[in-house]
Amino acid sequence: MRKTLLAVVIIGLLVSCNQSHSNDYQADLIVYGGTSAGIISAVQAKKSGKSVIVISPDKHLGGLSSGGLGFTDTGDKSVIGGLARDFYHRVYQHYQDSSAWRWQAQSEYGNKGQGTPAIDGNERTMWIFEPHVAEQIFEDYVKEYELEVWRDEWLDRESGVMKKGDRIVSITTLSGKTFKGKMFIDATYEGDLMAAADVSYHVGREANSVYGEKWNGIQTGVLHHDHWFKSDISPYVIPGDSASGLLYGVSAEDPGIYGEGDHRLQAYCFRMCLSNHPDNRVPFPKPDHYNPENYELLARVFTSGWRETFRKFDPVPNRKTDTNNHGPFSTDFIGMNYDYPEASYERRREIIKEHEEYQKGLLYFMANDSKVPSDVRKEMAQWGLAKDEFTDNGHWPHQLYIREARRMVGQHVMTEHDTFSESEIADPVGMGSYALDSHNVQRYVKADGHVQNEGDIGVKPKKGPYKISYGSLVPKKEECGNLLVPVCVSSSHIAFGSIRMEPVFMILGQSAALAASLAIDNGTGVQDVSYEALEKLLLESKQVLSTPK
């Protein structure tokens, strides 16, 4: 009887011990974030012979690459190498199959890309694609490389990061799961792991004086692109009467002094996939809290003669678009995202919903309101949400375009001088080439009583593609020795405006994983990785580290 009782007690203790650790998981590398950078990081870790776990707050993988941004911001495609190029090669392979062209014959597709053809037959790459195609490719990576992915798992930002000295030991999610690793990668758009690990970061625009820049701080009076009010338009409810109050979306705050820093962020929006095929479009829905007065400023823009509504309905295959912001009043919800980077998960969900309501209301307004010119309404009637995209989310993108949130202040801060190739980068881990691009940051009232936007900047790198420093992926040595950050990289606001492109995030994700692998093999911190050894691995992985001859 005693032996039986003792056995029962022992079994009970074993079961209890087992249960207490049933939510503990371990791998060489822990990747937080299911973005394009996160999945590519994990693929490279597996290729390097390392165990890896991806923890994704999102159920859908790929971030913006599968969330509507199908008209890829590429810049100079010759500097996109490694697994990033493999992704675009897989897109190419998909569209070589005639069955991929369900709503349009391939011969009818205009093959328009950003500066070069969408389909590059010589390089066997394709840069323009439908959202569901991109998502399937990321899922193919998961299956092919047998990646362990935990979805809908959210970092406990208050107490979920366990550090011992300068090393992260483990991270815990809100569901109670704990993930232990030798190395960690923060691949989120927000930089939540980085922040929770007490790594230095910046939110907003630095003053030009901080890094000796020209294009970083407040840019009042600087009008690039075509996203500004070219006509004198009153911002007041009763035109010309300041006592009547401001129209929706116009700030009453002073815009600040040119060149100074501020807390403000460039605007977010959803990159929408629209269709004009009668059998594959869903009419623009009227949102629950629709208020046509929210779009009065746009009505006045139309009255001024503006007619560029459809300029950024960029074509992707199968009679669909990647529709982006264009003009003085468009899909960018200017000034409504300032608290997003530091906000709680609950508040972020509210901000995302506010953006969705605004953008759906904008579409409904343009398609139905009599204040919209009849020719615009007639054209809008041809469009709708793509029925075969985002089918579990009412055909609405599942990813808000977080153009910028936190940015690490790491071992090396990339600035406009680096993007202009005015400084020497001795430790490149990839290259960027896109223009230094910021969307509008605020909408304000000028001294003359008219409305204007501020913050939209577009400046090309002076000497073509530029090198991105390994030091921009790693924190300061004393802050954390086993974390790499390939998305919220260490850079100034305006330098990030060029770096923040999906192909670059994939490039940096792969490079981060290679560096993590080296650090594991040599038992060093990420700051002490031999660049000579890393460079060898990067080149073997077909990363591009200098402008091709």
Side-chain angles (χ1 to χ4, degrees), residues 398-411:
H398 42 68
Q399 175 67 60
L400 181 64
Y401 195 171
I402 310 301
R403 288 190 171 93
E404 186 175 349
R406 299 182 180 101
R407 302 185 311 281
M408 181 169 64
V409 181
Q411 195 171 58

Side-chain angles (χ1 to χ4, degrees), residues 227 266-270 324-326 329-334 355 358-359 362 403 439-440 443 456:
H227 310 318
Q266 60 175 310
Y268 300 166
C269 72
F270 287 94
N324 193 14
N325 178 83
H326 177 72
F329 190 108
S330 184
T331 58
D332 279 358
F333 201 17
I334 299 172
H355 279 70
Y358 164 77
Q359 210 160 321
L362 176 68
R403 288 190 171 93
H439 280 234
N440 277 307
R443 179 175 289 140
D456 192 280

